[in-house]
Amino acid sequence: MGRTPARSFVGRRREYEVLATALDGVAMGDSRVVLVSGEAGVGKTRLVERFADAAQDRGVLVLSGACVASGQDGLPLAPILMALRRLVGRIGRDRLIALCSGLPELARLLPELGPASAGGAPAGQARLFHQLAVFVQRLGTDQPVVILVEDLHWADRSTRLLLDVLARNLRDTRVLIIATYRTDDLYRGHPLRPFLAELKRVEGVRHIDLGRFSRAETAELIAAALGERPSSALVDRVFDRSGGNAFLVEELVRVERSGMTFSLDDPLRDLLTGRIECLPDLPRQVIRLVAIERSRVSHQVVAAVAGLPDETLLEALRAAIDAHVLVADGDGYDFRHALVREALVTGLLPGERIRLHRAYAVALDGRPDLLPPEQLPSSLAYHWAGAGAPERELPALLRAAAVAKRLSAHAEQYQLLRRALDLSAQVPDEVDRGDLEYEASDAAWLAGEHEQGLVLIEQALANVDRARQPERAALLLARRGRLLIRLGHADAIPALEEAERLVPEGTSVARATVLEILASALTSRGDAARGYEISEEAARIARTVGDDELQVAALTTQGTALAHDGRHERAVAAFDAARTLAGSRNDLPGLARAGVNLSMELWAVGRYAETVTVAREGLAAARGSGLSATLGAFLAANLGMALFSMGLWDDADAATAEALEANPSGVFAAYLHLLRGDLALARGHLAAAKRCLASAARDFGPDFGLDDGLLPMARLDAEIAFRENRIGHARRTVARALGTARVRGQLAVHAWALVTTGAMIEARSRKPMHAFEEPHEAENLTEVLGSVTAELATGAPPWRAHAEQFAAEMDSHGTTSPLWHDVVAAWEKAGNPYLACYARLRAAEATLATRDDRDARRLLVAAASQARDLGANPLQKKIEALARSIRLPPFEVSETSAKAPKADLLGLTSREAQVLRLLTEGESNRGIGVQLFISEKTASVHVSRILAKLGVTSRGEAAATAHRLRLFNED
């Protein structure tokens, strides 16, 4: 497209070029996302609107919408609904219906398509977003499409999730998404911050940060406004007062042209509203009326609220537009800039605000046809709240919550219901509080607000009559149990067993729901046999009533019960059945949950490569359904464990760091911290490992009772204590954890790892320097280790390798055991290079005891090379120390790679060197991911770290540096 904006458009040519280049790429079938940021008034809207106008002139379909500063009472997906409404008028109803063929969920957004599918199931948002992505792809087949979303800093969570889905899933599609946001509104903790951090790592996402104008650009802008060259004194005054902010420059020039004077001491609000105060009374009243609405307002609404004769109203509106306060926008009006609206509303007296809000609310109640049906409830709730009328606000809130539920916007539904609960205390006769608590608890679960959901359920249970409402009570108890499981609390079973007693017999969704949750709890607490039996009944009922989502959940619980019972192949079959059914109906949450459990089972038995594949597929489903901070965190932890086991430590680091950017909390974050603690300890970063352990303990909480978290946490705690020579603490930690654990099925992998840690502590700590330790501690630990290992299964390769290592450790109390040679082979077979490297070091020690220096040299050379490739610094130091003891020349330690790669000298890890090589060959992040079998986002993390280590700011500079230093010359 054209590279030069219109002449009156000052500056921003480089930024305009970025947008034009992005659109060129889109025209070739490569979707892009551009984020445009800057402070209020800096010119974001002017830039993107000028670009959009030029794009439309070239036949591009431009769809635009703005987020609304509405707080908790707003309409979910507001900018998308606004854009789709405009699309109907652009392409016509028949074309719209054709584009939406086979996408029934879009009826939730477009009533023109007919009634939406019934229900508000957890997967609704995932299906809705998937179908929206398909719709946008279809839209881009006929012509390039630009989707412009303004004011992203006000976006609701559902809008953010949808943009994330579109950015990640629109591939090879002629669609450009542009989103603007204010940087000065992003306070610490703003929900947009983590969203942006994650989005910017997606390939194809660009960021434009608009700065203020220079003095020269300010002079050019003043000249364009005045139509003549300004004096140097005027430029100085305006530049000093505005700081180069484009909007303030124009406001100050208008003040200058009006003959008014301004001082550097004038408050900003006075500057923004000064021209309004100069207008006659009637235009000022109409301007205030428009200001109290949150965004653009149609002429019909203004007329209904103002209640003025047509000619009088039009005269007032014309005066406001001529004064450059309002602008005509389609069939309505808006402020020329949001700063003016904000300044005006701030200056209203409380009584003025109440009167204006009431006028709106009364008008909309009398004429509901003035707004689209999905927008009306939230607007009424907003205005009745402003009018101080809780008895009128409450029913509007409930209708707005119903709209949010229909849109599967559960976070917004929850916030609306919370507000309704607060109001119900003021108007107790207007609503059944028990019903409200029940619905709000369900919305909290679906929104991932688990702690708050638990509080709501406790309140609802206190108010429910269990004799008269047994099914309601049973479902509340089941929900309570489900939340307790998710939060890692130990007292979930009693509530669920009471729920089973209360729920009526028969084939109902309620009974299947209760049974599935009870089966999951029983399995997690050690009763896998009963868990399997109950989950089988839940699956049968789900099939009978035709509830596929419930069947997916029951099949997943079946698989988990089988896995915990040690029946691996049947467990995998159950998980595969759940994934197949979930995939057939695009049940992304179901796919994610089944992926969590299947990837865990595969990792536990040493099928690491399959774990990576399943976990990544599950992560895609979790992101697509807005579950990155919950199920996505579990999947990232499983992915990280597999990568760590395979020796791909950089990738494990990147995957877990990326997952933490989604701000998971509680148990969801705890497993990530544990893995990062293992990684830090293996690399020799003891302080970081201790921080990770503390974070995991905090996130698990004192009531956490699941052994799959407690066992690895005890192991990390014991290994840190051992490194710090706190032998007593290490012994007590291992003995206590093993003494209380209920080990079954896949948990054997965690138990074996803790057992070998305990054996290592025993073998390495029986020296004079530890004579002060209490003798009974060692005896107690040895006894516990022996009793636990007698019961542990050895059916999987990692379990057998751990058993071999345990035997070798326990046989090494006097001198290093010759059994370590077998341990090397076992860990090589299991595919864990780090533990194989450790075993080589111990085998070298055993070989030296037999004075076979030659074989010891061979083992040490191999171990040193492996440790260096892994970045296992403590292990490498031990290897080098042992090598020095037999006078092994330093160059021999690295003889398997005679020349250290030049990339090492730049601080690059081996994986980063691989990524840099592919980058220099012109591969995109996606291409790097394909080549190295990592995700596109993980590749992006590596690229970011490479740029930082090389001290460059772009991929091109990194490639140039690599070529200049001849990092990858084959000679």
Side-chain angles (χ1 to χ4, degrees):
M1 66 173 292
R3 286 302 205 257
T4 306
R7 287 179 58 125
S8 60
F9 189 69
V10 173
R12 309 305 190 202
R13 279 166 172 73
R14 185 171 63 178
E15 292 85 355
Y16 192 92
E17 172 73 18
V18 172
L19 293 171
T21 300
L23 187 57
D24 287 345
V26 164
M28 300 298 291
D30 188 8
S31 61
R32 304 287 176 89
V33 177
V34 179
L35 303 170
V36 181
S37 66
E39 67 178 2
V42 82
K44 302 180 294 297
T45 297
R46 182 76 61 87
L47 171 66
V48 297
E49 285 184 349
R50 187 59 59 94
F51 171 77
D53 289 343
Q56 282 190 138
D57 290 344
R58 297 183 62 84
V60 175
L61 177 62
V62 178
L63 303 176
S64 63
C67 304
V68 179
S70 54
Q72 61 187 6
D73 302 333
L75 174 66
L77 302 172
I80 307 304
L81 290 169
M82 187 185 303
L84 291 177
R85 287 272 174 213
R86 291 171 175 171
L87 178 64
V88 175
R90 296 277 296 278
I91 65 175
R93 184 173 182 274
D94 291 343
R95 176 60 180 150
L96 182 67
I97 291 174
L99 286 169
C100 293
S101 174
L103 306 175
E105 295 299 313
L106 294 193
R108 296 173 183 257
L109 304 181
L110 293 167
E112 292 85 353
L113 299 175
S117 58
Q125 189 173 75
R127 287 197 303 270
L128 177 63
F129 286 3
H130 170 75
Q131 292 187 16
L132 264 171
V134 173
F135 172 77
V136 172
Q137 284 181 314
R138 291 177 180 176
L139 202 59
T141 57
D142 294 338
Q143 63 189 124
V145 176
V146 171
I147 299 176
L148 173 58
V149 178
E150 290 234 61
D151 299 322
L152 197 60
H153 50 280
W154 288 328
D156 57 281
R157 189 165 85 171
S158 293
T159 296
R160 295 194 300 270
L161 290 174
L162 175 58
L163 288 178
D164 187 71
V165 169
L166 294 177
R168 296 178 190 282
N169 293 285
L170 291 180
R171 297 297 184 192
D172 304 321
T173 304
R174 296 194 296 171
V175 176
L176 170 61
I177 299 173
I178 303 173
T180 70
Y181 63 93
R182 288 187 191 175
T183 51
D184 45 342
D185 276 10
L186 298 190
Y187 52 82
R188 184 181 297 275
H190 193 291
L192 192 64
R193 281 179 175 266
F195 168 78
L196 292 172
E198 193 165 339
L199 186 64
K200 288 175 183 178
R201 295 191 175 195
V202 177
E203 186 172 8
V205 175
R206 296 292 306 274
H207 178 212
I208 299 172
D209 187 26
L210 287 186
R212 294 184 175 192
F213 283 140
S214 65
R215 186 186 182 284
E217 290 170 325
T218 300
E220 188 180 349
L221 185 58
I222 296 172
L226 293 175
E228 61 185 21
R229 183 177 178 180
S231 68
S232 180
L234 175 60
V235 172
D236 286 340
R237 289 203 308 275
V238 171
F239 185 68
D240 289 343
R241 184 71 177 90
S242 68
N245 180 288
F247 176 70
L248 295 181
V249 169
E250 293 180 339
E251 289 297 300
L252 290 167
V253 170
R254 286 194 174 89
V255 170
E256 182 78 17
R257 291 177 66 181
S258 69
M260 298 169 59
T261 61
F262 63 84
S263 163
L264 294 181
D265 296 327
D266 288 338
L268 176 60
R269 191 176 68 81
D270 291 346
L271 173 65
L272 295 175
T273 61
R275 282 179 294 109
I276 299 174
E277 300 307 320
C278 296
L279 292 171
D281 182 61
L282 196 57
R284 290 206 312 272
Q285 291 181 26
V286 172
I287 290 169
R288 292 189 181 104
L289 184 149
V290 174
I292 207 68
E293 185 54 286
R294 298 167 291 186
S295 59
R296 173 190 170 278
V297 56
S298 72
H299 179 81
Q300 290 80 3
V301 171
V302 173
V305 177
L308 296 170
D310 287 346
E311 288 301 322
T312 304
L313 176 62
L314 290 173
E315 183 179 343
L317 287 167
R318 173 61 63 191
I321 292 171
D322 289 345
H324 299 283
V325 177
L326 298 182
V327 293
D329 181 14
D331 64 346
Y333 310 97
D334 204 348
F335 277 82
R336 198 172 66 83
H337 199 281
L339 282 174
V340 178
R341 181 199 305 276
E342 293 165 15
L344 190 59
V345 171
T346 301
L348 291 174
L349 295 172
E352 290 177 307
R353 293 185 197 176
I354 292 172
R355 179 175 58 79
L356 289 168
H357 278 298
R358 180 171 290 278
Y360 265 98
V362 170
L364 293 175
D365 259 343
R367 289 279 311 278
D369 59 303
L370 289 172
L371 293 178
E374 71 277 3
Q375 184 181 341
L376 179 65
S378 65
S379 189
L380 279 170
Y382 167 70
H383 288 300
W384 281 125
E391 74 284 356
R392 307 294 296 272
E393 180 190 357
L394 180 57
L397 280 171
L398 296 178
R399 293 197 297 274
V403 170
K405 182 178 181 179
R406 181 167 57 83
L407 297 175
S408 298
H410 302 300
E412 291 74 25
Q413 179 196 4
Y414 168 69
Q415 291 297 333
L416 290 161
L417 292 173
R418 284 291 314 187
R419 169 67 177 160
L421 277 168
D422 293 340
L423 282 182
S424 67
Q426 301 178 43
V427 282
D429 297 331
E430 291 293 323
V431 67
D432 185 319
R433 187 173 176 86
D435 289 343
L436 200 52
E437 288 167 339
Y438 182 82
E439 187 173 1
S441 69
D442 190 49
W445 165 261
L446 296 173
E449 302 286 353
H450 298 142
E451 294 281 3
Q452 294 88 337
L454 192 58
V455 171
L456 287 168
I457 288 175
E458 299 289 3
Q459 293 171 355
L461 279 169
N463 298 322
V464 72
D465 186 332
R466 302 188 186 195
R468 297 178 59 186
Q469 300 173 290
E471 185 172 295
R472 166 69 63 86
L475 286 172
L476 281 169
L477 287 165
R479 287 179 180 176
R480 180 178 183 274
R482 179 173 59 183
L483 283 167
L484 289 171
I485 295 170
R486 184 57 58 85
L487 293 169
H489 290 254
D491 56 345
I493 301 295
L496 290 167
E497 289 178 333
E498 183 181 359
E500 183 190 19
R501 291 192 296 271
L502 285 172
V503 71
E505 295 284 346
T507 55
S508 67
V509 171
R511 181 162 185 81
T513 299
V514 170
L515 292 177
E516 189 277 319
I517 298 172
L518 174 60
S520 178
L522 289 167
T523 299
S524 67
R525 298 299 173 190
D527 194 351
R530 189 175 167 214
Y532 174 75
E533 179 183 323
I534 293 175
S535 65
E536 201 170 33
E537 183 183 354
R540 178 186 60 77
I541 296 174
R543 281 193 296 271
T544 301
V545 300
D547 193 321
D548 289 341
E549 289 176 15
L550 188 52
Q551 188 181 349
V552 168
L555 285 170
T556 301
T557 300
Q558 265 189 48
T560 305
L562 289 165
H564 283 221
D565 205 34
R567 292 180 277 179
H568 172 68
E569 295 302 332
R570 289 189 62 190
V572 171
F575 290 137
D576 281 339
R579 293 171 78 223
T580 299
L581 180 58
S584 69
R585 60 186 313 281
N586 196 40
D587 175 7
L588 297 185
L591 274 172
R593 185 186 169 206
V596 168
N597 290 276
L598 176 55
S599 59
M600 181 66 210
E601 175 68 7
L602 293 171
W603 172 79
V605 299
R607 294 166 62 173
Y608 302 136
E610 293 172 80
T611 304
V612 170
T613 299
V614 171
R616 284 182 174 150
E617 291 173 355
L619 273 169
R623 289 174 183 139
S625 52
L627 300 174
S628 292
T630 52
L631 295 181
F634 283 158
L635 284 156
N638 293 350
L639 172 62
M641 289 190 301
L643 294 168
F644 181 67
S645 299
M646 297 167 73
L648 301 174
W649 291 3
D650 288 347
D651 294 347
D653 188 6
T656 52
E658 175 186 316
L660 286 171
E661 287 180 358
N663 287 332
S665 60
V667 294
F668 303 108
Y671 291 97
L672 293 166
H673 290 307
L674 279 183
L675 177 57
R676 292 184 67 77
D678 284 335
L679 185 58
L681 194 64
R683 286 173 162 169
H685 305 150
L686 185 59
K690 293 174 72 174
R691 287 194 298 270
C692 290
L693 175 63
S695 296
R698 179 199 65 224
D699 288 332
F700 277 135
D703 298 323
F704 186 77
L706 299 183
D707 290 323
D708 63 353
L710 296 178
L711 289 174
M713 185 163 66
R715 178 183 48 74
L716 179 59
D717 187 5
E719 291 185 7
I720 289 173
F722 179 71
R723 292 276 182 94
E724 295 183 324
N725 205 28
R726 295 182 287 119
I727 306 303
H729 177 83
R731 282 174 169 154
R732 287 190 296 273
T733 299
V734 174
R736 183 168 54 248
L738 290 175
T740 59
R742 293 154 294 180
V743 179
R744 68 277 179 199
Q746 63 181 213
L747 284 180
V749 68
H750 293 303
W752 270 121
L754 186 55
V755 160
T756 51
T757 293
M760 180 267 294
I761 291 169
E762 291 299 88
R764 292 281 178 144
S765 62
R766 291 188 175 180
K767 297 177 181 178
M769 63 180 292
H770 301 298
F772 59 85
E773 298 292 348
E774 295 292 334
H776 68 85
E777 290 179 348
E779 293 168 5
N780 181 50
L781 178 56
T782 301
E783 181 182 331
V784 170
L785 293 175
S787 63
V788 170
T789 54
E791 302 295 328
L792 287 179
T794 57
W799 308 356
R800 287 193 292 275
H802 273 300
E804 296 269 12
Q805 181 172 335
F806 172 76
E809 293 280 19
M810 297 302 287
D811 192 46
S812 299
H813 288 177
T815 184
T816 307
S817 172
L819 296 176
W820 282 103
H821 293 277
D822 296 331
V823 181
V824 173
W827 280 121
E828 288 288 354
K829 184 176 181 180
N832 191 315
Y834 177 57
L835 293 178
C837 184
Y838 171 74
R840 280 193 174 88
L841 170 62
R842 302 302 304 280
E845 292 174 354
T847 301
L848 286 175
T850 65
R851 301 189 181 282
D852 186 353
D853 288 3
R854 186 169 190 175
D855 193 35
R857 288 169 184 260
R858 177 186 60 81
L859 287 165
L860 288 172
V861 165
S865 175
Q866 205 165 29
R868 183 185 62 76
D869 289 344
L870 289 168
N873 297 323
L875 191 54
Q876 187 170 1
K877 289 177 181 177
K878 290 179 181 178
I879 294 166
E880 291 171 353
L882 187 60
R884 286 194 296 272
S885 74
I886 60 171
R887 296 181 175 80
L888 186 64
F891 70 87
E892 285 193 43
V893 175
S894 302
E895 67 182 17
T896 54
S897 52
K899 293 182 179 179
K902 295 177 182 178
D904 283 1
L905 303 177
L906 299 172
L908 300 179
T909 65
S910 57
R911 177 59 103 190
E912 288 166 351
Q914 292 173 329
V915 170
L916 180 57
R917 177 190 287 272
L918 292 172
L919 187 152
T920 62
E921 294 172 1
E923 289 285 359
S924 64
N925 288 345
R926 193 191 311 178
I928 291 170
V930 171
Q931 295 269 9
L932 299 180
F933 303 100
I934 59 178
S935 72
E936 181 180 327
K937 283 194 69 181
T938 299
S940 174
V941 172
H942 287 313
V943 170
S944 297
R945 290 178 176 170
I946 289 167
L947 299 185
K949 288 182 178 182
L950 296 183
V952 298
T953 59
S954 70
R955 299 165 70 95
E957 287 182 78
T961 300
H963 286 305
R964 186 176 69 254
L965 298 178
R966 305 180 70 185
L967 293 184
F968 304 116
N969 286 1
E970 297 301 325
D971 56 352

